[in-house]
Amino acid sequence: MVPFLRAVKFEEVDAAGIVFFACFSSYAHEAMEHFFGALPGGYPDLIMRRRIGLPAVELTARFLAPLRYGDALRIETTTAELGRRSARLHYRMLRQSDGVLAAEIFHKVVTTKLEAVRSCDMPEDVRAIFTAHLASPAAAPRGG
Amino acid sequence: MVPFLRAVKFEEVDAAGIVFFACFSSYAHEAMEHFFGALPGGYPDLIMRRRIGLPAVELTARFLAPLRYGDALRIETTTAELGRRSARLHYRMLRQSDGVLAAEIFHKVVTTKLEAVRSCDMPEDVRAIFTAHLASPAAAPRGG
Amino acid sequence: MVPFLRAVKFEEVDAAGIVFFACFSSYAHEAMEHFFGALPGGYPDLIMRRRIGLPAVELTARFLAPLRYGDALRIETTTAELGRRSARLHYRMLRQSDGVLAAEIFHKVVTTKLEAVRSCDMPEDVRAIFTAHLASPAAAPRGG
Amino acid sequence: MVPFLRAVKFEEVDAAGIVFFACFSSYAHEAMEHFFGALPGGYPDLIMRRRIGLPAVELTARFLAPLRYGDALRIETTTAELGRRSARLHYRMLRQSDGVLAAEIFHKVVTTKLEAVRSCDMPEDVRAIFTAHLASPAAAPRGG
């Protein structure tokens, strides 16, 4: 599990006064970038130099408690599933002040050659990070 | 079904060159605002004057084809489920140039008093719009 | 002068309850894209196929009246200055309900080859649109 | 001078492949929030509990070097001018890898009671922070 702290930004609140639900997808992506921090050059190097990305193919989110400006999240990221070309990340987003689970997200990504926007086998260093944070043995590789 | 056209904006593309997945949640919200266009004063009046909102409690999305700057979407919105306080919206997002299904989203919302951030019974005019666009008789009311 | 209507979006409001000031730059860019609507394929074709862009080099903005969700803007775009490679756009952003000037923005852009991020002479069709909407004879070409 | 480090986010790049110019306003706001980090409860407490904000009334920006995903900024914030109700912040945004000045922004804000959206005298603790980071004696108080 890789933890990541993230404060709500001033402009992430919407006209209802709470964090806009689309922002949680951005939070998930930031947590994923942090998750891959151990890659040489980090996630930016994967994208910009190697031209391999991890576009989302599925997203499932439950929003359990509202967030306001002044709140911060502790995001716990694990690998829920790992396939040959794809993986499913799991984010538990906890409100830092009281530990309440504010949102829970599953995010399936596919390793993709960016020029062609075509899936490719997962690079070994990417796989190693997914593997290191597999949630449990039950979450073993399957097709994908 | 309520259709809504939306062009990809210049800044919605990410470092991988395709529309960032969080933007699809914004597209869904815009389509929902349009869906409620027949309310007096539209969705803004519901939020700003009546102080009732429809925060998301669940989101399920599949991303099927990448979008680039220059693409536009035709978003078809229907009511997939209707409960006493909640509803599930269904968005089919078709790339306008070729009709390809680019994304499909289910978005469960709960009628909420914004001051207390507490669920409330669905106002009759809100319910009437959900009812008018129920996907099918099978999607009849259930608890929620 | 090219007019453009734009409603405030639900998520453009910040924790202070008014439109976040960065959003006005996005509004300006949208108005500019609309301004170039007469190009073949519009502004997206200039960016995506011809790979020529108009990055900002200077921005000057005055924010005169707050906007809330439910407000809409009428944006009036003219060419304030026109040079060999650059131009300065002028946006008057009027609140639609009462005609109050909510913001006024000057936006200097430079025609740029995107691969090299290097300035280039302005294409003739781009220049023709700038010329057609010059604010006044006093705003005649100068170096740039 | 208050320094602040900020990496470019994956989704801040636009269809031209560089950071969208509106994002620099968000960077400025983040640097301002950081600038006020010494307030009790930080800037969020000022907004959320005391209901006093610092909306922008003027913005002047020069964009000097493009930023890409993988770049980071070092933002140096000082007080350029200090008045009774207003102040002008100055941000120098340096690309961290090579120290190049990527953008320079002046941002005039007015202390404002948020409920009424009406200017008010600057609270003493807010003034103390502006004063502590005045760029030079020449930038002394004037009407505002």
Side-chain angles (χ1 to χ4, degrees):
Chain A
M1 187 276 290
V2 179
F4 177 63
L5 294 182
R6 172 62 154 77
V8 167
K9 289 172 59 181
F10 183 72
E11 65 266 38
E12 289 171 348
V13 164
D14 60 27
I18 59 178
V19 169
F20 188 57
F21 73 123
C23 295
F24 289 88
S25 292
S26 298
Y27 298 167
H29 200 275
E30 285 184 41
M32 184 180 79
E33 294 177 68
H34 179 71
F35 184 82
F36 286 112
L39 289 179
Y43 194 73
D45 189 77
L46 187 69
I47 295 289
M48 298 301 286
R49 197 181 56 75
R50 295 163 68 183
R51 302 300 289 155
I52 293 172
L54 293 169
V57 291
E58 286 178 31
L59 187 78
T60 311
R62 289 187 306 141
F63 307 104
L64 304 161
L67 295 176
R68 298 186 180 279
Y69 182 51
D71 286 334
L73 285 176
R74 174 188 162 89
I75 305 179
E76 299 178 350
T77 307
T78 52
T79 307
E81 289 176 25
L82 183 56
R84 193 160 55 84
R85 303 190 157 195
S86 71
R88 194 179 306 266
L89 290 148
H90 176 205
Y91 311 89
R92 295 181 72 241
M93 301 191 178
L94 307 158
R95 200 161 52 193
Q96 209 182 357
S97 59
D98 56 8
V100 161
L101 186 66
E104 181 163 36
I105 296 183
F106 289 89
H107 174 210
K108 185 174 179 179
V109 296
V110 173
T111 34
T112 300
K113 284 187 195 293
L114 295 180
E115 303 312 336
V117 194
R118 189 174 278 275
S119 74
C120 61
D121 286 350
M122 191 179 286
E124 280 313 307
D125 53 355
V126 171
R127 174 175 303 280
I129 289 174
F130 276 127
T131 303
H133 302 289
L134 266 168
S136 75
R142 34 190 219 189
Chain B
M1 188 276 291
V2 178
F4 177 64
L5 294 182
R6 171 63 152 79
V8 167
K9 289 173 56 181
F10 183 71
E11 64 267 38
E12 290 172 346
V13 164
D14 61 28
I18 57 177
V19 169
F20 188 56
F21 74 122
C23 295
F24 290 88
S25 292
S26 298
Y27 298 167
H29 199 276
E30 286 183 39
M32 185 181 79
E33 294 176 67
H34 179 71
F35 184 81
F36 285 112
L39 288 180
Y43 194 72
D45 189 77
L46 187 68
I47 295 290
M48 299 300 286
R49 197 180 56 75
R50 296 164 67 182
R51 301 300 289 156
I52 293 172
L54 294 170
V57 291
E58 287 178 30
L59 187 78
T60 310
R62 288 188 308 141
F63 307 104
L64 304 160
L67 295 177
R68 299 186 179 280
Y69 182 51
D71 285 334
L73 284 175
R74 174 187 161 90
I75 305 179
E76 299 178 349
T77 306
T78 53
T79 307
E81 287 175 28
L82 182 56
R84 191 161 55 85
R85 303 190 156 196
S86 71
R88 194 179 307 267
L89 290 148
H90 176 205
Y91 310 90
R92 296 181 73 240
M93 301 191 178
L94 308 158
R95 199 161 52 196
Q96 208 182 359
S97 58
D98 57 8
V100 162
L101 186 66
E104 181 163 36
I105 296 184
F106 290 88
H107 174 210
K108 185 175 179 180
V109 297
V110 174
T111 34
T112 299
K113 284 186 195 293
L114 295 180
E115 303 312 336
V117 194
R118 191 173 277 275
S119 74
C120 61
D121 285 350
M122 190 178 286
E124 281 312 307
D125 53 355
V126 171
R127 174 175 304 280
I129 290 173
F130 276 127
T131 303
H133 302 289
L134 267 168
S136 74
R142 32 191 220 190
Chain C
M1 187 276 290
V2 178
F4 177 64
L5 294 181
R6 172 62 153 77
V8 167
K9 288 172 58 182
F10 182 72
E11 64 267 38
E12 290 171 345
V13 164
D14 61 27
I18 58 178
V19 169
F20 188 57
F21 73 123
C23 295
F24 290 88
S25 292
S26 298
Y27 297 167
H29 199 277
E30 286 183 41
M32 183 179 80
E33 294 177 67
H34 180 72
F35 184 81
F36 285 113
L39 289 179
Y43 194 72
D45 190 77
L46 187 68
I47 295 289
M48 299 301 286
R49 198 181 56 77
R50 296 164 68 182
R51 301 301 288 156
I52 293 173
L54 294 170
V57 291
E58 286 178 31
L59 187 78
T60 310
R62 289 187 307 141
F63 306 105
L64 304 161
L67 295 177
R68 299 186 180 280
Y69 182 51
D71 286 334
L73 285 175
R74 174 187 160 90
I75 306 179
E76 299 178 349
T77 306
T78 54
T79 307
E81 288 175 27
L82 183 56
R84 192 162 55 85
R85 302 191 158 198
S86 71
R88 194 178 308 266
L89 290 148
H90 176 205
Y91 310 91
R92 296 182 72 242
M93 300 189 178
L94 308 157
R95 198 161 50 195
Q96 207 183 359
S97 58
D98 56 10
V100 162
L101 186 65
E104 181 163 38
I105 296 183
F106 289 88
H107 175 210
K108 185 174 179 180
V109 297
V110 173
T111 34
T112 299
K113 284 187 196 291
L114 294 180
E115 303 313 335
V117 193
R118 189 173 277 277
S119 73
C120 61
D121 286 350
M122 191 178 287
E124 280 313 306
D125 52 355
V126 171
R127 174 174 304 281
I129 290 174
F130 277 127
T131 303
H133 302 289
L134 267 168
S136 75
R142 37 190 215 190
Chain D
M1 186 276 291
V2 179
F4 177 63
L5 295 181
R6 172 61 152 80
V8 167
K9 288 172 58 181
F10 183 72
E11 64 266 38
E12 290 172 346
V13 164
D14 61 26
I18 59 178
V19 169
F20 188 57
F21 74 123
C23 295
F24 289 89
S25 292
S26 298
Y27 297 167
H29 199 275
E30 286 183 41
M32 184 180 79
E33 295 177 67
H34 180 71
F35 184 81
F36 285 112
L39 289 179
Y43 194 73
D45 189 77
L46 187 68
I47 295 289
M48 299 300 287
R49 198 181 55 77
R50 295 164 68 182
R51 301 301 289 157
I52 293 173
L54 294 169
V57 291
E58 287 178 31
L59 187 79
T60 310
R62 289 187 308 140
F63 306 104
L64 304 161
L67 294 177
R68 297 186 181 280
Y69 182 51
D71 286 333
L73 286 175
R74 174 188 160 90
I75 305 178
E76 299 178 349
T77 307
T78 53
T79 307
E81 288 176 25
L82 182 57
R84 193 161 54 85
R85 303 191 156 196
S86 71
R88 193 179 307 267
L89 290 149
H90 176 204
Y91 310 90
R92 295 181 72 241
M93 300 191 180
L94 308 158
R95 198 161 53 193
Q96 208 182 359
S97 59
D98 57 9
V100 162
L101 186 65
E104 181 164 36
I105 295 183
F106 289 89
H107 174 209
K108 184 173 179 180
V109 296
V110 174
T111 34
T112 300
K113 284 187 196 292
L114 295 180
E115 303 312 336
V117 194
R118 190 174 276 275
S119 74
C120 61
D121 286 350
M122 193 179 286
E124 280 313 307
D125 53 354
V126 170
R127 174 174 303 280
I129 290 174
F130 276 128
T131 303
H133 302 290
L134 267 168
S136 75
R142 36 188 217 190

